[in-house]
Amino acid sequence: MDAMELVAFSVNGTEWRLRDVLKLACMEGRFSAVENSIRRAIMKEFAEQHQLSIDEQEWKAKANELRQQLGLYSAAETLAWLKVRGLTMADLFESAKARLLTEKVKRIASEDRVDAYYLKNRLSYDKAIISQLIVGSREQAQELLFQLEEGEPFYQLAQTYCLNSSSKYDGGYVGSVGRAEMSGEEESFVFSSEAGQSGGPFPIGSCYRLLYVWEVIPAALTGELRVKLADLIYEEWLNEAVKKSKVDIKLWGYLAGEPLG
């Protein structure tokens, strides 16, 4: 039997052949299982070059963590889950080891670059807590700004006039936003304002909006942000490593009729 005619899966009784799956992957230019395997191969090669190792206690703990993430809380459940997928405990352990190696490679690839990356992109991590009041014309927005300057509460005007239904009934409250989520004019106003200031009108699509600043929160390299930056740096490093590697995906050739092997 032609391997391409093997049933890859079925949905409500309709079978999808391996050939169908691969054709879709070809059209989209990606096949996540293949891409993830390539990324893992490059990660393992890096780990070998740097002589990274994992002791038994580490990978057993990671395997237990992985089982719990999959909702497998007993040996019987684990074995049944593996059997359905044609896998063994050795495959589970191998996956746990690969995840541990990924964590170690990520630390090496990013640990000396996080601070510099943060300093270069620090403004991107500034935040502000704001409310908005969106109306249909500049003239109406200007009139409402005059009312705010005379002491009218922002939230009351927003509840009455704001065209944005998702924030109107919260008194215009938007919450935390970053610089990239605003226009240049809005960014300049918000991040130079004191708490309690209102400003505008600022064009937004065919409408105009007023902004109220609750708080400006300058960027800080917290532990949480450090983890996010390490993940980002690792992904950039890995994507670049994939581009530089010589990768030959045989599956596309098989689909075109080349002999299997």
Side-chain angles (χ1 to χ4, degrees):
M1 180 181 181
D2 185 351
M4 290 299 169
E5 297 306 316
L6 291 172
V7 176
F9 61 89
S10 66
V11 178
N12 298 323
T14 300
E15 295 180 339
W16 279 63
R17 307 283 171 175
L18 180 57
R19 184 181 299 278
D20 300 321
V21 176
L22 294 179
K23 281 184 178 180
L24 179 58
C26 283
M27 290 298 297
E28 295 184 349
R30 65 191 306 273
F31 189 8
S32 60
V34 173
E35 291 180 350
N36 291 341
S37 296
I38 291 169
R39 288 161 63 87
R40 178 171 290 188
I42 290 172
M43 179 275 296
K44 285 187 171 182
E45 181 180 60
F46 181 91
E48 290 173 2
Q49 292 172 349
H50 289 76
Q51 299 180 331
L52 301 182
S53 61
I54 302 168
D55 63 43
E56 184 175 351
Q57 185 176 359
E58 283 183 301
W59 63 256
K60 282 187 175 180
K62 179 59 74 172
N64 285 330
E65 179 185 315
L66 180 55
R67 284 196 307 108
Q68 292 174 10
Q69 290 173 353
L70 294 169
L72 307 172
Y73 297 103
S74 70
E77 287 177 326
T78 302
L79 290 172
W81 186 90
L82 291 169
K83 184 177 180 180
V84 167
R85 292 161 177 77
L87 301 171
T88 66
M89 287 298 293
D91 296 314
L92 178 66
F93 294 151
E94 186 61 30
S95 181
K97 292 174 183 177
R99 293 187 181 210
L100 278 169
L101 279 178
T102 298
E103 292 171 5
K104 294 189 176 188
V105 170
K106 184 185 298 184
R107 282 198 295 271
I108 293 176
S110 65
E111 63 184 355
D112 295 330
R113 298 174 57 194
V114 169
D115 291 276
Y117 190 97
Y118 168 73
L119 290 174
K120 182 179 179 181
N121 300 280
R122 183 184 61 79
L123 292 180
S124 301
Y125 301 102
D126 287 340
K127 295 291 182 183
I129 310 297
I130 65 169
S131 290
Q132 66 177 2
L133 197 174
I134 299 177
V135 292
S137 70
R138 176 182 288 275
E139 291 74 21
Q140 185 182 14
Q142 190 65 60
E143 172 57 33
L144 291 171
L145 182 61
F146 290 149
Q147 293 184 40
L148 288 170
E149 291 172 349
E150 292 172 357
E152 287 292 329
F154 191 97
Y155 76 91
Q156 287 186 357
L157 293 180
Q159 287 177 334
T160 303
Y161 298 104
C162 187
L163 298 178
N164 182 272
S165 58
S166 64
S167 62
K168 175 176 182 175
Y169 299 107
D170 289 327
Y173 186 75
V174 175
S176 176
V177 296
R179 292 176 180 271
E181 299 170 72
M182 294 179 281
S183 68
E185 189 180 6
E186 291 173 334
E187 176 191 354
S188 179
F189 162 71
V190 168
F191 287 97
S192 63
S193 295
E194 299 289 337
Q197 283 189 255
S198 300
F202 304 107
I204 178 169
S206 60
C207 299
Y208 290 84
R209 72 173 176 174
L210 304 178
L211 296 177
Y212 178 88
V213 179
W214 290 95
E215 183 182 7
V216 173
I217 308 170
L221 188 53
T222 61
E224 181 181 3
L225 180 55
R226 187 175 287 276
V227 170
K228 290 181 179 179
L229 293 183
D231 288 342
L232 179 61
I233 292 168
Y234 173 71
E235 285 299 314
E236 290 180 352
W237 169 82
L238 188 55
N239 289 336
E240 188 62 27
V242 170
K243 290 179 183 178
K244 292 179 178 178
S245 298
K246 182 179 180 181
V247 178
D248 181 13
I249 303 177
K250 299 290 187 182
L251 281 173
W252 308 151
Y254 299 154
L255 183 59
E258 293 180 8
L260 300 175

